[in-house]
Amino acid sequence: MATRSWIVPGPARHDVEGVDALRVQLVAGSVSVHGHDSDHVHVEVAEVTGNPLEISVEGTRLSIGYPTLGWDGWARRLGSYSSSDVASLTVHVPHGTTVHVATATADATVSDVAEDLTLMTASAALRVLRCRGAATLRSASGTVEVSDHVGPVRVSTAAARTEVTGELPRTEVTSVAGSISVTTTAHSAMADLATVSGAMRVQLPAGTGLSMTARTVTGQVRVDGVDRRPGGLTPTTVEDRGDGAVCFLTTRSVAGSLDVVRGALGTSA
């Protein structure tokens, strides 16, 4: 398979055609990926400090990163990797491009992409805006924000704050100590949330039925402002399906509280 590559030691611009997958690997700095209506990829590198970047094309996949680091196993080394390499870049891709970004401390933003995406970081902020498809995000300590998303979302964090909004048919969030906030406009949905000590909040459209099992050791469990926890270690179960669509919600925590609100977005019941 033919491969094309460019070494980028400083600010530069590149246009690449025939790409339907993007892979970015950074240490420090920032990366923004935006969907656009053109059929080519436009890469704009604003800053490179330390080792130069490499831009390479293999088949229909465009890769941007550091060739000396390698791709295999890079994500597993994010938390322990230390380097002075800094790069800041913006990439415009066709809307139907799959996106995979891995960083150590570089903030990452992806917007207006209509295919599956994966973002991973050790301690940077991750943002996904107005995207469609399956979104997978992993962070140790950086905040995670998914806004106006259409499609399933999976998030795994250690201490990061997580906020997810949109039309979410399925949401899975696992966190050790970070707070979790999920707001969905989908009347029929499934959500699975787990935390040790972070507070959890789930907001649903008014009139949505609820089938919930919440397990906690010391955390509070409230539904529409009413304390529903039976006491002790007995799981809190709510079966209020009504005649319409239902949200199937499962939560687990040690000390984290849970609030479920059904009502107009931005209000509490």
Side-chain angles (χ1 to χ4, degrees):
M1 184 178 296
T3 300
R4 295 171 288 159
S5 64
W6 302 267
I7 299 299
V8 183
R13 296 181 178 181
H14 290 273
D15 289 321
V16 184
E17 297 181 347
V19 169
D20 61 16
L22 172 69
R23 182 172 65 175
V24 179
Q25 170 205 76
L26 292 184
V27 179
S30 65
V31 54
S32 296
V33 181
H34 306 290
H36 67 170
D37 294 329
S38 298
D39 59 1
H40 68 278
V41 175
H42 176 71
V43 181
E44 185 167 349
V45 180
E47 175 189 8
V48 178
T49 301
N51 287 313
L53 288 173
E54 180 184 57
I55 300 176
S56 64
V57 181
E58 184 176 4
T60 60
R61 184 176 66 190
L62 172 65
S63 298
I64 305 173
Y66 299 97
T68 56
L69 297 180
W71 287 96
D72 295 336
W74 162 246
R76 291 191 296 271
R77 303 197 304 271
L78 286 178
S80 61
Y81 190 79
S82 177
S83 171
S84 59
D85 296 334
V86 178
S88 297
L89 59 144
T90 301
V91 186
H92 294 272
V93 301
H95 295 291
T97 303
T98 59
V99 176
H100 184 111
V101 177
T103 81
T105 62
D107 293 342
T109 299
V110 179
S111 66
D112 300 310
V113 170
E115 267 294 346
D116 295 350
L117 61 94
T118 301
L119 303 182
M120 295 182 290
T121 187
S123 60
L126 302 179
R127 300 180 69 209
V128 175
L129 310 174
R130 302 178 303 278
C131 291
R132 305 173 69 91
T136 301
L137 301 95
R138 301 173 187 169
S139 172
S141 60
T143 59
V144 175
E145 178 186 349
V146 181
S147 300
D148 297 328
H149 189 78
V150 179
V153 175
R154 176 178 292 180
V155 179
S156 176
T157 76
R161 172 178 55 85
T162 299
E163 294 185 5
V164 183
T165 69
E167 187 177 337
L168 311 168
R170 184 172 183 86
T171 308
E172 299 178 44
V173 182
T174 301
S175 179
V176 177
S179 62
I180 300 170
S181 176
V182 176
T183 300
T184 178
T185 59
H187 287 268
S188 296
M190 298 182 66
D192 189 332
L193 313 179
T195 182
V196 174
S197 59
M200 297 176 286
R201 177 180 172 87
V202 178
Q203 185 144 7
L204 307 172
T208 302
L210 180 64
S211 178
M212 182 186 81
T213 300
R215 294 178 172 86
T216 183
V217 177
T218 62
Q220 294 181 316
V221 178
R222 291 179 292 265
V223 176
D224 297 330
V226 178
D227 185 2
R228 300 297 295 268
R229 188 178 173 193
L233 298 180
T234 303
T236 303
T237 59
V238 174
E239 289 294 332
D240 180 18
R241 301 196 182 195
D243 299 325
V246 179
C247 174
F248 296 90
L249 174 63
T250 301
T251 70
R252 298 174 299 281
S253 78
V254 176
S257 63
L258 170 65
D259 278 280
V260 180
V261 177
R262 292 176 288 184
L265 299 183
T267 68
S268 58

